[in-house]
PDB file of all heavy atoms in Angstrom:
ATOM      1  N   SER A1562       1.203 -22.268  16.324  1.00  0.00           N
ATOM      2  CA  SER A1562       1.248 -23.577  17.008  1.00  0.00           C
ATOM      3  C   SER A1562       1.115 -24.714  16.016  1.00  0.00           C
ATOM      4  O   SER A1562       0.550 -25.756  16.348  1.00  0.00           O
ATOM      5  CB  SER A1562       0.117 -23.744  18.033  1.00  0.00           C
ATOM      6  OG  SER A1562       0.150 -22.745  18.958  1.00  0.00           O
ATOM      7  N   SER A1563       1.599 -24.545  14.812  1.00  0.00           N
ATOM      8  CA  SER A1563       1.480 -25.632  13.842  1.00  0.00           C
ATOM      9  C   SER A1563       2.727 -25.725  12.979  1.00  0.00           C
ATOM     10  O   SER A1563       3.004 -24.820  12.184  1.00  0.00           O
ATOM     11  CB  SER A1563       0.242 -25.405  12.967  1.00  0.00           C
ATOM     12  OG  SER A1563       0.276 -26.254  11.862  1.00  0.00           O
ATOM     13  N   SER A1564       3.474 -26.827  13.152  1.00  0.00           N
ATOM     14  CA  SER A1564       4.662 -26.945  12.299  1.00  0.00           C
ATOM     15  C   SER A1564       4.247 -27.248  10.860  1.00  0.00           C
ATOM     16  O   SER A1564       4.992 -26.964   9.933  1.00  0.00           O
ATOM     17  CB  SER A1564       5.686 -27.951  12.828  1.00  0.00           C
ATOM     18  OG  SER A1564       5.116 -28.975  13.546  1.00  0.00           O
ATOM     19  N   GLY A1565       3.039 -27.822  10.682  1.00  0.00           N
ATOM     20  CA  GLY A1565       2.539 -28.060   9.323  1.00  0.00           C
ATOM     21  C   GLY A1565       2.278 -26.748   8.604  1.00  0.00           C
ATOM     22  O   GLY A1565       2.697 -26.536   7.463  1.00  0.00           O
ATOM     23  N   MET A1598       9.452 -34.136  16.152  1.00  0.00           N
ATOM     24  CA  MET A1598       8.855 -33.189  17.096  1.00  0.00           C
ATOM     25  C   MET A1598       9.601 -33.237  18.420  1.00  0.00           C
ATOM     26  O   MET A1598       9.141 -33.841  19.392  1.00  0.00           O
ATOM     27  CB  MET A1598       7.386 -33.530  17.303  1.00  0.00           C
ATOM     28  CG  MET A1598       6.633 -33.455  16.004  1.00  0.00           C
ATOM     29  SD  MET A1598       4.939 -33.087  16.219  1.00  0.00           S
ATOM     30  CE  MET A1598       4.462 -32.975  14.511  1.00  0.00           C
ATOM     31  N   THR A1601       7.630 -31.282  21.259  1.00  0.00           N
ATOM     32  CA  THR A1601       6.441 -32.008  21.708  1.00  0.00           C
ATOM     33  C   THR A1601       6.857 -33.194  22.586  1.00  0.00           C
ATOM     34  O   THR A1601       6.275 -33.434  23.651  1.00  0.00           O
ATOM     35  CB  THR A1601       5.647 -32.512  20.482  1.00  0.00           C
ATOM     36  OG1 THR A1601       5.272 -31.381  19.711  1.00  0.00           O
ATOM     37  CG2 THR A1601       4.421 -33.295  20.870  1.00  0.00           C
ATOM     38  N   PHE A1604       7.997 -32.037  25.998  1.00  0.00           N
ATOM     39  CA  PHE A1604       6.811 -31.671  26.782  1.00  0.00           C
ATOM     40  C   PHE A1604       6.123 -32.931  27.323  1.00  0.00           C
ATOM     41  O   PHE A1604       5.685 -32.976  28.478  1.00  0.00           O
ATOM     42  CB  PHE A1604       5.866 -30.859  25.884  1.00  0.00           C
ATOM     43  CG  PHE A1604       4.430 -30.871  26.280  1.00  0.00           C
ATOM     44  CD1 PHE A1604       3.952 -30.005  27.245  1.00  0.00           C
ATOM     45  CD2 PHE A1604       3.530 -31.758  25.684  1.00  0.00           C
ATOM     46  CE1 PHE A1604       2.610 -30.013  27.615  1.00  0.00           C
ATOM     47  CE2 PHE A1604       2.193 -31.783  26.044  1.00  0.00           C
ATOM     48  CZ  PHE A1604       1.735 -30.907  27.013  1.00  0.00           C
ATOM     49  N   THR A1639       2.339 -38.019  15.290  1.00  0.00           N
ATOM     50  CA  THR A1639       1.644 -36.795  15.714  1.00  0.00           C
ATOM     51  C   THR A1639       1.472 -35.844  14.536  1.00  0.00           C
ATOM     52  O   THR A1639       2.451 -35.485  13.880  1.00  0.00           O
ATOM     53  CB  THR A1639       2.475 -36.072  16.804  1.00  0.00           C
ATOM     54  OG1 THR A1639       2.748 -36.984  17.857  1.00  0.00           O
ATOM     55  CG2 THR A1639       1.715 -34.877  17.367  1.00  0.00           C
ATOM     56  N   ALA A1640       0.222 -35.465  14.273  1.00  0.00           N
ATOM     57  CA  ALA A1640      -0.010 -34.519  13.177  1.00  0.00           C
ATOM     58  C   ALA A1640       0.558 -33.161  13.573  1.00  0.00           C
ATOM     59  O   ALA A1640       0.546 -32.793  14.750  1.00  0.00           O
ATOM     60  CB  ALA A1640      -1.501 -34.399  12.919  1.00  0.00           C
ATOM     61  N   ALA A1641       1.071 -32.440  12.554  1.00  0.00           N
ATOM     62  CA  ALA A1641       1.746 -31.177  12.864  1.00  0.00           C
ATOM     63  C   ALA A1641       0.750 -30.025  12.960  1.00  0.00           C
ATOM     64  O   ALA A1641       0.815 -29.061  12.214  1.00  0.00           O
ATOM     65  CB  ALA A1641       2.791 -30.900  11.792  1.00  0.00           C
ATOM     66  N   VAL A1642      -0.221 -30.175  13.833  1.00  0.00           N
ATOM     67  CA  VAL A1642      -1.243 -29.139  13.994  1.00  0.00           C
ATOM     68  C   VAL A1642      -1.399 -28.784  15.475  1.00  0.00           C
ATOM     69  O   VAL A1642      -0.928 -29.536  16.335  1.00  0.00           O
ATOM     70  CB  VAL A1642      -2.609 -29.594  13.412  1.00  0.00           C
ATOM     71  CG1 VAL A1642      -2.555 -29.687  11.904  1.00  0.00           C
ATOM     72  CG2 VAL A1642      -3.031 -30.923  13.997  1.00  0.00           C
ATOM     73  N   PRO A1643      -2.075 -27.656  15.757  1.00  0.00           N
ATOM     74  CA  PRO A1643      -2.135 -27.231  17.159  1.00  0.00           C
ATOM     75  C   PRO A1643      -2.759 -28.269  18.091  1.00  0.00           C
ATOM     76  O   PRO A1643      -3.740 -28.915  17.744  1.00  0.00           O
ATOM     77  CB  PRO A1643      -3.015 -25.972  17.113  1.00  0.00           C
ATOM     78  CG  PRO A1643      -2.940 -25.488  15.718  1.00  0.00           C
ATOM     79  CD  PRO A1643      -2.709 -26.691  14.859  1.00  0.00           C
ATOM     80  N   GLY A1644      -2.139 -28.404  19.249  1.00  0.00           N
ATOM     81  CA  GLY A1644      -2.767 -29.147  20.333  1.00  0.00           C
ATOM     82  C   GLY A1644      -2.739 -30.661  20.266  1.00  0.00           C
ATOM     83  O   GLY A1644      -3.218 -31.322  21.181  1.00  0.00           O
ATOM     84  N   VAL A1645      -2.179 -31.244  19.225  1.00  0.00           N
ATOM     85  CA  VAL A1645      -2.244 -32.703  19.125  1.00  0.00           C
ATOM     86  C   VAL A1645      -1.349 -33.365  20.150  1.00  0.00           C
ATOM     87  O   VAL A1645      -1.635 -34.469  20.621  1.00  0.00           O
ATOM     88  CB  VAL A1645      -1.783 -33.189  17.733  1.00  0.00           C
ATOM     89  CG1 VAL A1645      -2.184 -34.616  17.520  1.00  0.00           C
ATOM     90  CG2 VAL A1645      -2.394 -32.325  16.687  1.00  0.00           C
ATOM     91  N   GLY A1646      -0.264 -32.683  20.494  1.00  0.00           N
ATOM     92  CA  GLY A1646       0.702 -33.262  21.422  1.00  0.00           C
ATOM     93  C   GLY A1646       0.034 -33.764  22.684  1.00  0.00           C
ATOM     94  O   GLY A1646       0.385 -34.828  23.211  1.00  0.00           O
ATOM     95  N   VAL A1647      -0.957 -33.036  23.171  1.00  0.00           N
ATOM     96  CA  VAL A1647      -1.584 -33.413  24.441  1.00  0.00           C
ATOM     97  C   VAL A1647      -2.524 -34.610  24.244  1.00  0.00           C
ATOM     98  O   VAL A1647      -2.710 -35.429  25.143  1.00  0.00           O
ATOM     99  CB  VAL A1647      -2.269 -32.175  25.067  1.00  0.00           C
ATOM    100  CG1 VAL A1647      -3.644 -31.935  24.512  1.00  0.00           C
ATOM    101  CG2 VAL A1647      -2.307 -32.269  26.553  1.00  0.00           C
ATOM    102  N   ASP A1675       2.164 -25.207  23.832  1.00  0.00           N
ATOM    103  CA  ASP A1675       2.091 -25.678  22.442  1.00  0.00           C
ATOM    104  C   ASP A1675       2.866 -24.712  21.533  1.00  0.00           C
ATOM    105  O   ASP A1675       3.589 -25.117  20.621  1.00  0.00           O
ATOM    106  CB  ASP A1675       0.619 -25.762  22.013  1.00  0.00           C
ATOM    107  CG  ASP A1675       0.433 -26.556  20.719  1.00  0.00           C
ATOM    108  OD1 ASP A1675       1.426 -27.124  20.231  1.00  0.00           O
ATOM    109  OD2 ASP A1675      -0.693 -26.602  20.205  1.00  0.00           O
ATOM    110  N   ARG A1678       6.607 -25.323  22.178  1.00  0.00           N
ATOM    111  CA  ARG A1678       7.151 -26.603  21.695  1.00  0.00           C
ATOM    112  C   ARG A1678       7.133 -26.663  20.172  1.00  0.00           C
ATOM    113  O   ARG A1678       8.028 -27.261  19.559  1.00  0.00           O
ATOM    114  CB  ARG A1678       6.435 -27.798  22.336  1.00  0.00           C
ATOM    115  CG  ARG A1678       4.968 -27.930  22.045  1.00  0.00           C
ATOM    116  CD  ARG A1678       4.313 -29.004  22.919  1.00  0.00           C
ATOM    117  NE  ARG A1678       2.984 -29.306  22.426  1.00  0.00           N
ATOM    118  CZ  ARG A1678       1.882 -29.210  23.145  1.00  0.00           C
ATOM    119  NH1 ARG A1678       1.937 -28.849  24.399  1.00  0.00           N
ATOM    120  NH2 ARG A1678       0.708 -29.511  22.617  1.00  0.00           N
ATOM    121  N   THR A1679       6.133 -26.005  19.549  1.00  0.00           N
ATOM    122  CA  THR A1679       6.108 -25.999  18.082  1.00  0.00           C
ATOM    123  C   THR A1679       7.321 -25.245  17.538  1.00  0.00           C
ATOM    124  O   THR A1679       7.928 -25.655  16.535  1.00  0.00           O
ATOM    125  CB  THR A1679       4.797 -25.353  17.568  1.00  0.00           C
ATOM    126  OG1 THR A1679       3.697 -25.989  18.203  1.00  0.00           O
ATOM    127  CG2 THR A1679       4.658 -25.500  16.068  1.00  0.00           C
ATOM    128  N   ASN A1682      10.074 -27.556  17.687  1.00  0.00           N
ATOM    129  CA  ASN A1682       9.936 -28.583  16.639  1.00  0.00           C
ATOM    130  C   ASN A1682      10.527 -28.103  15.314  1.00  0.00           C
ATOM    131  O   ASN A1682      11.268 -28.819  14.643  1.00  0.00           O
ATOM    132  CB  ASN A1682       8.449 -28.919  16.405  1.00  0.00           C
ATOM    133  CG  ASN A1682       7.827 -29.677  17.568  1.00  0.00           C
ATOM    134  OD1 ASN A1682       8.540 -30.169  18.441  1.00  0.00           O
ATOM    135  ND2 ASN A1682       6.512 -29.765  17.603  1.00  0.00           N
TER     136      ASN A1682
HETATM  137  N1  LIG B1929       1.519 -28.098  17.630  1.00  0.00           N
HETATM  138  C1  LIG B1929       2.617 -29.021  17.469  1.00  0.00           C
HETATM  139  C2  LIG B1929       3.162 -28.936  16.051  1.00  0.00           C
HETATM  140  O1  LIG B1929       2.442 -28.621  15.137  1.00  0.00           O
HETATM  141  C3  LIG B1929       2.234 -30.418  17.812  1.00  0.00           C
HETATM  142  C4  LIG B1929       1.878 -30.465  19.293  1.00  0.00           C
HETATM  143  O2  LIG B1929       2.798 -30.521  20.116  1.00  0.00           O
HETATM  144  O3  LIG B1929       0.700 -30.397  19.645  1.00  0.00           O
HETATM  145  O4  LIG B1929       4.334 -29.174  15.852  1.00  0.00           O
END
Side-chain angles (χ1 to χ4, degrees):
S1562 303
S1563 167
S1564 30
M1598 300 207 176
T1601 300
F1604 156 84
T1639 306
V1642 291
V1645 195
V1647 83
D1675 194 6
R1678 63 190 192 237
T1679 308
N1682 290 347

